[in-house]
Amino acid sequence: MATTSFRPYAVVSLLIIFFIQPSISIYCDEDDCYDLLGVSQNANSSEIKRAYYKLSLKHHPDKNPDPESKKLFVKIANAYEILKDEVTRGQYDYAIEHPEEVFYNTARYYHAYYGHKTDPRAVLVGLLLVLSGIQYLNQWTRYHQAIDMVKRTPAYKNKLKALELERTGAISSKKKGGYKIDKKMQEDISKELELQIKGAEKPSVWGLLGVRFILLPYTLGKLLLWRGCWYWRYKINKTSYSLEDASYLTRRALGASRDSWEYLDESTKKDLIDRRLWVKSNLENYLLEMRKESKRRR
């Protein structure tokens, strides 16, 4: 019974030792930084400095060729770098007094040690690369999943079959199993069928966050130039809207995306543009007509 009751405490003790040790040893490995310099924890900066210079003269590789002395010199130099700075010394003292706060002590150490050495620009570039990679992978996965789903639909299979019949000039038999699609030809023809799936577009490098960030100055410059030309052409010179600009105003008034607008037939586009929906009163009348038409169909 005594052995059984001891085991949980032994496991807990081992875990505590395992986790507590690293939060202190990240500073001077297994040694105590103060002991390496031969000073007490209450020593002031002058005492620490004197102790370091004294030991460095004794163990410097140029003064002492002993390999063990060289290793000790590296430890002494590291201990001095930690204790000479008030911030890192305070963090080390806190780690000694609170060894149970493993993650907090470790985070403070690496932030102090690497934070000032890391170029913020490098961090930004790395972050953009990681986010761009995740973004591209997500788009690629969504696109191919959507393609696989579309290829299973009867509409896609019929379209593929019709295209193959058109290419080969074959005549389909109405009997079951009378006509089979050649797999190799099916793969070749399917590559020609561009599938535009809303919400799962084919991934593009130009849409990645990193690329858009790099091109941001160019994009802003282009936007300002476009705004200036728009203001000069339509506000100052009072020129009539071009077809492209009228289409843009109509899309914006309707809250439609570019893809949705492109899917409309030309007659519908012309009718919407002729209504001049960018004028508030015209848009209100159009929406009222649409609501009435929707009620009538019900």
Side-chain angles (χ1 to χ4, degrees), residues 34 37 43 58 78 86 89 93 149 151 157 167 180 205 220 237 249 272 275 281 293:
Y34 291 104
L37 296 179
K58 179 181 178 182
N78 177 61
E86 293 297 328
R89 182 181 179 183
D93 291 341
M149 291 180 64
K151 286 185 176 180
K157 292 180 180 178
R167 292 287 179 84
K180 292 183 179 180
V205 175
L220 291 176
N237 292 337
L249 290 173
L272 291 172
R275 287 174 176 266
S281 58
E293 180 66 19

Side-chain angles (χ1 to χ4, degrees), residues 57-75:
L57 289 172
K58 179 181 178 182
H59 297 286
H60 195 279
D62 294 340
K63 303 289 184 180
N64 192 335
D66 185 12
E68 293 300 323
S69 184
K70 182 179 179 180
K71 293 179 181 178
L72 183 58
F73 174 77
V74 173
K75 292 184 177 182

Side-chain angles (χ1 to χ4, degrees), residues 121 124-126 128-129 132 205-221:
R121 292 171 295 183
L124 178 61
V125 171
L128 286 174
L129 287 174
S132 298
V205 175
W206 300 106
L208 298 179
L209 289 173
V211 177
R212 292 173 69 179
F213 180 80
I214 294 172
L215 296 177
L216 185 60
Y218 168 77
T219 305
L220 291 176

